Amino acid sequence: MSATMDTESTYSGYSHYSGHSKKAHRQGSRDRHKSPRSKDGSRSEKSVTIQTPPAEPLLGNDASRTEEGQDDNWGETTTAITGTSEHSISQEDIARISKDLEDSVGLDCKRYLGLTVATVLGLLVFLTPIAFILLPQILWRDDLEPCGTVCEGLFISVAFKLVILLIGTWALFFRQPKADIPRVFVFRALLLVLIFLFVFSYWLFYGVRILDSKDTNYQGIVQYAVSLVDALLFIHYLAIVLLELRQLQPMFTVKVVRSTDGESRYYSLGHLSIQRAALVVLENYYKDFTVYNPTLLTASKSRAAKHMAGLKVYNVDGPGNNASGQSRAMIAAAARRRDSSHNELYYEEADHERRVKKRRARLVVAVEEAFTHIKRLQAEEQQKAPGEMMDPREAAQAIFPSMARALQKYLRTTRQQQYHSMESILQHLSFCITNNMTPKAFLERYLSPGPTLQYDRDRWFSKQWTLVSEEAVTSGLQDGTVFVLKCLDFSLVVNVKKIPFIKLSEEFIDPKSHKFVLHLQSETSV
Amino acid sequence: MSYVPGQPVTAVVQRIEIHKLRQGDNLILGFSIGGGIDQDPAQNPFSEDKTDKGIYVTRVTEGGPAEVAGLQIGDKIMQVNGWDMTMVTHDQARKRLTKRNEEVVRLLVTRQSLQKAVQQSMMS
């Protein structure tokens, strides 16, 4: 029954919902991402349904629709757009275009603005000491006191310090930005402001005291430039400490739970702002969490639907009644009703496990057998049998048919078939053959769902994230902070806990104090 | 019956004379002993004071010479043929009881019921 839901509700993401139906929301537009290559191949994905106004459900409608599927209110609350002709575009295309537009314009501007400001400031700062040293030489060369060895020594030190500063700045700051964060990065902004003020004040002093008065003590001027470079190196040190070192020491443990299936992980973080912590969590999400598979959730949804479908609540008092009384009545009725859904769940799960195990056994045997047909030729054997030699791709294509069916059946049972196309399987097979992997190594990718990074980008369901937080996202993490990372289909709930203060005390044990006695109690008969 | 260091041990004792029974090549007395200064006194089920490291009778075979002579289970052996048994190791005690050239052993044993009987008779 669920197959019908999958295909017919392709366009239901843009329907309007009545006050009652909570179920239509969950069908939503998630299935928009599902490929047209669904299980039910005969149905077309464009269907026509009746659009009804969002009114309270009447008795007559429900009775006729109970056999239609789990979602009884489906007919009243979802709308669908008729099939597309060549000249119109479907809802999907509209959504895609609008998303692309919004992606390209707004965020890039912000990113590049920050980058240009920083670059300009950096260049200015770098050229300032050189300017300090060169300007007197250019403007009033004849009046300057000669300063021989001391100045030359100072020139060398300035040069090397500038080189070190350059290398350090390149190492620290010139990195590919790996993410777009919503608010400005506080510490970076702070540092830029600090540098700007600092250099500005130095220029002010220089301009007033040296340029205007045409100071002739050249050694003093050069020492002034050296002091500027020293101070810049110290600011660079400050930057390292603030941006890199401070968050290294773990202070918080963060629990991340995925809202759809409850998969959870723990991570250790240091002092970070909420947005940076969100970045860390997302980076780890892609490699730690198994890939989000919407088809695995249909079972629990159908159970929930069946539960709701058993009870209908009718509003006989007209509008203006209390909703809370209604829901309480529903819950009480549900508690009293005897239902055996737990029984069904148990047997269904046991059955499913058995099936998966059986298919897995068949798959492993088929793959092992297929791999025995392939043998790597040694160098000298290659000359002997030139006709039969195959490169890895051909070898993969040769053994693939014998295991294809078992693999296909296994993927179907574990509902992973949409993540692996035949081309990708062949590619992986030739990769394994090239690298001398055993059948088990080949199967590792298919036997259980892996992290999101393993799969093709189109199958990810999670590329655009939104940070939902009650506190400002640039504020630091505190014990008990909760924020949510939402993407279209699911969300990650993040709970922050402080690592407890550990009191560690010592106890010294003298190695000579390890002494033992033998406690016997023997009985002898005389 | 407990041992107070520096004070002589006093106890009410019973004299028991056991005639050894010859069984093949061995002379047996018909009981088992436990305890000794090299053993763990806490595991002794018969002693009143769990630091008492004396030799106790742990089993008496039925119909054996010890039972005939009146030895009871739980008795503490104070002397064997004049040799002290309150401060001996388990093996020394065994040796003292199983000397091959002795046919008769005279034991001094004590038990709690003896002490109580004497007290009662003193009071009455």
Side-chain angles (χ1 to χ4, degrees), chain A residues 208-227:
Chain A
V208 168
R209 288 301 192 86
I210 296 180
L211 282 180
D212 277 353
S213 62
K214 296 218 192 283
D215 194 6
T216 54
N217 179 10
Y218 193 50
Q219 187 178 337
I221 297 176
V222 176
Q223 270 174 343
Y224 183 67
V226 172
S227 81

Side-chain angles (χ1 to χ4, degrees), chain B:
Chain B
M1 279 201 291
S2 58
Y3 165 61
V4 175
Q7 302 295 320
V9 176
T10 56
V12 180
V13 294
Q14 177 184 354
R15 247 183 264 262
I16 290 183
E17 190 171 302
I18 305 179
H19 297 264
K20 290 187 189 178
L21 181 64
R22 184 163 289 279
Q23 251 191 14
D25 208 17
N26 305 323
L27 284 166
I28 62 162
L29 288 146
F31 65 98
S32 296
I33 53 165
I37 52 177
D38 55 340
Q39 307 285 310
D40 179 16
Q43 295 180 33
N44 191 342
F46 305 111
S47 60
E48 191 183 278
D49 174 14
K50 290 301 173 194
T51 58
D52 185 6
K53 293 188 174 177
I55 305 292
Y56 282 77
V57 174
T58 54
R59 254 187 306 139
V60 179
T61 56
E62 293 222 348
E67 197 189 11
V68 163
L71 194 65
Q72 291 174 20
I73 186 173
D75 290 351
K76 176 176 175 179
I77 303 177
M78 308 297 280
Q79 272 184 19
V80 169
N81 283 345
W83 294 98
D84 170 60
M85 296 291 260
T86 56
M87 275 287 138
V88 291
T89 66
H90 189 88
D91 209 40
Q92 283 171 343
R94 179 191 60 82
K95 281 191 191 141
R96 298 255 173 81
L97 284 166
T98 54
K99 285 204 167 9
R100 296 185 78 104
N101 48 1
E102 287 175 358
E103 288 241 355
V104 175
V105 285
R106 292 181 181 85
L107 311 176
L108 285 182
V109 302
T110 181
R111 59 183 85 93
Q112 287 171 15
S113 51
L114 289 177
Q115 186 77 18
K116 285 195 198 108
V118 166
Q119 273 177 349
Q120 274 180 351
S121 64
M122 272 181 14
M123 280 193 297
S124 62

Side-chain angles (χ1 to χ4, degrees), chain A residues 325-343:
Chain A
Q326 208 177 38
S327 53
R328 252 184 281 138
M330 245 164 70
I331 293 170
R336 264 178 261 130
R337 186 174 57 128
R338 176 197 307 200
D339 89 286
S340 60
S341 54
H342 57 274
N343 232 0

Side-chain angles (χ1 to χ4, degrees), chain A residues 25-199:
Chain A
H25 185 65
R26 67 166 161 85
Q27 291 288 1
S29 61
R30 312 312 143 234
D31 306 306
R32 166 157 51 98
H33 297 285
K34 208 172 166 66
S35 69
R37 199 174 24 101
S38 66
K39 296 177 220 160
D40 219 335
S42 54
R43 282 194 102 102
S44 70
E45 53 180 293
K46 303 165 182 71
S47 59
V48 180
T49 49
I50 307 159
Q51 174 182 357
T52 57
E56 311 285 342
L58 303 173
L59 224 76
N61 271 351
D62 291 329
S64 63
R65 283 206 159 71
T66 39
E67 74 279 347
E68 186 112 357
Q70 302 96 345
D71 190 347
D72 278 322
N73 288 332
W74 174 79
E76 294 98 48
T77 57
T78 57
T79 61
I81 299 176
T82 61
T84 59
S85 65
E86 304 103 44
H87 303 293
S88 67
I89 52 176
S90 64
Q91 281 275 34
E92 271 189 16
D93 296 329
I94 294 177
R96 213 182 327 124
I97 290 171
S98 63
K99 206 151 61 109
D100 289 343
L101 271 175
E102 141 191 292
D103 278 351
S104 52
V105 173
L107 301 160
D108 284 4
C109 244
K110 200 171 73 160
R111 207 198 293 174
Y112 287 133
L113 185 68
L115 203 61
T116 45
V117 163
T119 322
V120 164
L121 194 63
L123 270 173
L124 196 72
V125 163
F126 186 70
L127 295 173
T128 304
I130 303 178
F132 282 3
I133 295 178
L134 288 179
L135 277 176
Q137 292 273 358
I138 297 171
L139 293 177
W140 61 93
R141 193 194 198 114
D142 314 316
D143 303 328
L144 286 175
E145 291 166 21
C147 88
T149 342
V150 182
C151 275
E152 280 158 19
L154 289 173
F155 287 156
I156 292 177
S157 85
V158 165
F160 276 114
K161 281 180 191 161
L162 279 178
V163 166
I164 290 174
L165 197 62
L166 197 65
I167 296 176
T169 315
W170 168 81
L172 194 60
F173 295 117
F174 288 179
R175 278 183 283 197
Q176 289 269 9
K178 44 186 181 169
D180 261 341
I181 47 181
R183 300 266 173 194
V184 73
F185 194 163
V186 171
F187 282 140
R188 235 179 248 178
L190 207 70
L191 279 168
L192 285 177
V193 166
L194 185 68
I195 291 180
F196 176 71
L197 282 176
F198 176 74
V199 172

Side-chain angles (χ1 to χ4, degrees), chain A residues 518-526, chain B residues 30-33 39-40 58-59 90:
Chain A
L518 200 57
H519 274 192
L520 294 170
Q521 188 66 11
S522 36
E523 195 186 355
T524 322
S525 61
V526 291
Chain B
F31 65 98
S32 296
I33 53 165
Q39 307 285 310
D40 179 16
T58 54
R59 254 187 306 139
H90 189 88

Side-chain angles (χ1 to χ4, degrees), chain A residues 3 7 55 93-94 132 172 192 276 303 313-314 339 390 417 427 452 462 478-479 498 516:
Chain A
T7 51
D93 296 329
I94 294 177
F132 282 3
L172 194 60
L192 285 177
R276 287 173 79 192
R303 271 203 304 280
V313 180
Y314 298 104
D339 89 286
M390 297 185 282
Q417 77 272 21
Q427 224 173 8
T452 319
S462 54
Q478 302 281 335
D479 187 28
K498 203 168 151 78
F516 298 93

